[in-house]
Amino acid sequence: VDRCWNVRFLLALPENKLLPVLRSLSAQGRLGRSQLVSCEDEYEEFRSRHLLLDLSLIDYVLTEEDPENLCWSVSSEDELYQELSAFTLALHDKVDQRRRFPPSTQRAGMVRATRKIRHLLTGLNNTLKRHPDWKLARLLAVLAGLGGSKDPGPVSIVLLALLGKELGHLDSDDRLFMGQGLAAVARESADESEHDLRLLRSDALLVQKDFIQPCGGLMEQVGNDYASLARTEFELSEKSMAMLALHRAQHRSGNGGPTVRSAKVRMSQLVLSPPVKQALRMAASQAEHAEVLIDQWGLGQVIPYGRSVTLLFSGPPGVGKTACAEAMAHKLGRPILVADFAKIQNCFVGMTEKNIVRQFTTAARVGAVLFWDEADAMFFDRDAASRTFEVRTVNVLLQELEKFEGLCILATNRKVHLDPALERRISLKVPFERPDAAMRRKIWQKLMPRKLPLAKNVNLDKLSATDLTGGEIKNAVLNAARLALLRGPQGPVTMKDLVRAVKMERENGWTGERSGASIGFEAAGSAGGP
């Protein structure tokens, strides 16, 4: 069945039949009002317009099935969520018209996408009517019962689009999930000027009743002006997630979601200076016995920022900051969430802040140690900040640290000037320095397993005389093993391999402050880790 007809072909009808047919095909006519027939290019001269049949009508012609009974072929809600990906992709296609097509053909594409969305939504609604006990059916029923609109379609489409986000149908940073994208797919009309952002205002049903929210829930930082709403990313609220029995960390895919993993590094694997060991023991003790310290001993009543444990690890790369964070998580029997601030910064209004909140929320929900890697950009002094987003970043960080009751570790490779309020919330500052010769020898020893075939001429004392960090020593061991493997699977790893690997690390590694002496004649450092 051809889905696109040209009006000019109908002009061959007898004059007494032509006018009633043309009237029925107009937007105000019977077929037009019922949307069984729509016009792809209504601004063209009438005789040149292309007509589109409703997809349900085409299905009826082909299958003889009543469009009112059109359902998806699913037997469980999990299968429904899989099929829902087609709906999410249809929404994405509608938003993507402006990028993919020139203005002359955008409208036609928008009309076709709108018809497809309407067709899929009809099938979804009919399916949910047959399964009123499904969680999605109950959620949409609650939404409809609140009477937010004479036409519940736009509201449902926004909620379903954000459900597709949580189910991982598209990357979480897709344009569909921005205010402008959600407004575009919610409107029945394909006219760009009619896209409406009122559904996303703080006083609108979806936001006011806590079904959706700006990512991280930061509505107060978005405001209600249309420019801000258009640039803001949205997500389902925790209330909606709970009603659907979904968990963000479990379902979300894409570029912005937190990644929680098990901690595998153990404290016994690390070589640390006594001051670092003492600071870590103190932090672990508070994390394990917070109720005793804060509640039973009464310190929570007089110290407002003492319930959580917030550590600041500082020092050059390779001295053990990341390894210590993971070892702390392992010691406490918790997973670790590594958050890289450089990767979650975003130019859109509120998105960096919501990404910060997302890390804290996920860590709290799964009980993970939250480790902020290379968090230098979070350490603005608000009095010295020159840009508003710098102030917002610190405000959100302070807000989340105050609420967070777990272990949070901030790491930086350089000395920074902290905002005074942030300074007060840091429980312990732990400086990591380059390891001295004695520590380097222990690191070399720990990084050479018993199974590693070593030549008898390997001298750890000579190797440890070279000023390397733990990370650099790890790289040298691996490169020496690779050099030995080139000669065959039997090895062994010789002193010559290790010296060559150290030289490679010295010439290509981090150019921090160190002695320029050659291997075997290095000055000793003071502290560090693997």
Side-chain angles (χ1 to χ4, degrees):
V1 178
D2 191 353
R3 302 186 183 188
C4 185
W5 297 335
N6 194 298
V7 175
R8 65 169 59 96
F9 294 130
L10 298 176
L11 298 182
L13 292 171
E15 290 186 7
N16 61 335
K17 295 182 179 181
L18 176 60
L19 188 57
V21 169
L22 295 180
R23 284 174 176 168
S24 69
L25 294 174
S26 69
Q28 293 75 32
R30 184 174 58 182
L31 293 175
R33 290 197 310 271
S34 66
Q35 296 184 329
L36 290 175
V37 174
S38 57
C39 183
E40 183 182 79
D41 40 11
E42 65 183 38
Y43 295 131
E44 293 289 337
E45 183 183 353
F46 190 80
R47 67 173 57 240
S48 299
R49 296 177 188 175
H50 287 79
L51 302 178
L52 300 172
L53 291 180
D54 183 83
L55 297 178
S56 299
L57 180 60
I58 295 174
D59 286 342
Y60 178 71
V61 172
L62 294 176
T63 66
E64 297 185 355
E65 182 179 353
D66 188 345
E68 294 298 323
N69 298 324
L70 177 67
C71 286
W72 292 3
S73 299
V74 294
S75 57
S76 69
E77 198 154 13
D78 284 340
E79 291 182 8
L80 179 80
Y81 286 163
Q82 293 177 11
E83 292 297 318
L84 193 63
S85 62
F87 184 77
T88 309
L89 292 175
L91 299 177
H92 169 79
D93 288 343
K94 184 174 180 179
V95 174
D96 212 31
Q97 292 295 320
R98 297 184 67 185
R99 184 181 65 84
R100 292 167 54 197
F101 300 106
S104 59
T105 58
Q106 281 176 14
R107 182 175 180 79
M110 295 282 281
V111 171
R112 290 176 179 273
T114 299
R115 291 170 61 249
K116 184 175 182 180
I117 292 168
R118 185 170 63 244
H119 177 65
L120 290 169
L121 187 59
T122 299
L124 173 62
N125 288 333
N126 289 339
T127 303
L128 293 177
K129 288 178 182 178
R130 293 187 179 184
H131 302 279
D133 57 323
W134 285 0
K135 300 178 187 67
L136 180 57
R138 293 200 296 265
L139 175 58
L140 292 178
V142 170
L143 194 59
L146 294 174
S149 173
K150 295 181 180 178
D151 178 12
V155 173
S156 299
I157 287 174
V158 170
L159 189 137
L160 291 169
L162 296 178
L163 173 57
K165 176 183 185 179
E166 300 300 341
L167 295 173
H169 296 158
L170 296 170
D171 285 348
S172 61
D173 57 357
D174 191 90
R175 294 195 304 166
L176 169 61
F177 309 125
M178 307 299 292
Q180 187 173 23
L182 293 171
V185 296
R187 297 295 296 174
E188 180 68 27
S189 171
D191 193 338
E192 183 73 19
S193 65
E194 295 184 25
H195 291 174
D196 195 347
L197 288 152
R198 286 178 296 178
L199 289 172
L200 306 175
R201 288 171 53 92
S202 61
D203 54 356
L205 171 70
L206 283 169
V207 178
Q208 185 183 49
K209 299 297 183 181
D210 193 28
F211 289 101
I212 71 169
Q213 63 185 20
C215 285
L218 302 173
M219 192 68 201
E220 67 278 4
Q221 296 196 24
V222 177
N224 283 325
D225 64 285
Y226 285 3
S228 294
L229 289 172
R231 297 192 305 268
T232 298
E233 182 186 351
F234 285 81
E235 65 184 358
L236 292 182
S237 67
E238 296 302 324
K239 170 184 172 180
S240 292
M241 295 291 288
M243 294 179 70
L244 295 170
L246 297 179
H247 303 284
R248 286 191 218 281
Q250 174 183 350
H251 289 278
R252 177 167 292 173
S253 66
N255 299 327
T259 301
V260 180
R261 58 178 173 82
S262 59
K264 298 181 180 180
V265 178
R266 301 184 301 276
M267 281 292 182
S268 60
Q269 296 175 268
L270 305 181
V271 178
L272 303 169
S273 65
V276 172
K277 286 182 180 179
Q278 178 69 6
L280 296 182
R281 283 198 295 265
M282 291 170 61
S285 178
Q286 180 179 342
E288 289 177 316
H289 308 291
E291 291 184 1
V292 174
L293 187 70
I294 302 301
D295 298 328
Q296 295 182 24
W297 291 6
L299 290 175
Q301 299 176 5
V302 295
I303 302 177
Y305 306 123
R307 186 170 297 276
S308 65
V309 183
T310 304
L311 304 179
L312 175 63
F313 288 178
S314 60
V319 292
K321 299 188 296 296
T322 302
C324 277
E326 185 163 340
M328 285 286 289
H330 185 275
K331 179 178 176 62
L332 297 171
R334 302 178 187 178
I336 185 168
L337 191 162
V338 179
D340 188 342
F341 186 76
K343 294 181 180 179
I344 67 172
Q345 284 180 300
N346 197 291
C347 62
F348 289 107
V349 173
M351 286 187 65
T352 297
E353 293 82 359
K354 65 90 181 174
N355 282 334
I356 293 174
V357 173
R358 183 184 296 171
Q359 312 301 316
F360 279 97
T361 302
T362 301
R365 184 171 62 246
V366 302
V369 170
L370 178 56
F371 177 61
W372 287 93
D373 192 18
E374 299 183 12
D376 308 47
M378 300 170 67
F379 299 147
F380 296 112
D381 183 341
R382 287 172 295 178
D383 292 336
S386 59
R387 290 167 290 189
T388 56
F389 78 84
E390 297 173 347
V391 176
R392 290 200 309 267
T393 296
V394 177
N395 286 341
V396 172
L397 179 61
L398 294 174
Q399 167 190 313
E400 294 305 310
L401 281 174
E402 186 171 348
K403 295 188 300 183
F404 190 61
E405 297 189 358
L407 174 59
C408 179
I409 301 173
L410 308 171
T412 175
N413 292 336
R414 58 187 178 87
K415 293 182 179 180
V416 292
H417 180 61
L418 300 178
D419 185 273
L422 178 57
E423 183 110 29
R424 291 195 298 271
R425 284 167 172 81
I426 291 177
S427 309
L428 288 169
K429 297 176 183 177
V430 186
F432 287 72
E433 299 180 359
R434 301 180 69 84
D436 60 22
M439 294 176 64
R440 290 196 295 268
R441 194 184 194 288
K442 292 180 180 178
I443 296 171
W444 277 106
Q445 193 170 14
K446 284 180 176 290
L447 291 175
M448 291 181 176
R450 292 182 180 180
K451 292 182 179 181
L452 183 68
L454 285 177
K456 293 182 179 180
N457 66 341
V458 171
N459 189 320
L460 294 185
D461 290 329
K462 288 185 177 180
L463 292 172
S464 60
T466 305
D467 180 15
L468 297 177
T469 66
E472 292 167 333
I473 293 174
K474 178 194 69 175
N475 292 338
V477 171
L478 286 171
N479 283 329
R482 292 174 182 129
L483 290 170
L485 191 60
L486 291 175
R487 297 191 295 271
Q490 303 302 319
V493 178
T494 66
M495 187 64 176
K496 184 178 179 180
D497 295 327
L498 289 163
V499 170
R500 183 178 175 186
V502 168
K503 184 178 180 182
M504 292 167 56
E505 196 62 29
R506 294 277 299 175
E507 293 177 349
N508 302 319
W510 181 70
T511 56
E513 295 181 1
R514 62 171 70 177
S515 170
S518 61
I519 180 169
F521 299 94
E522 293 291 327
S526 57

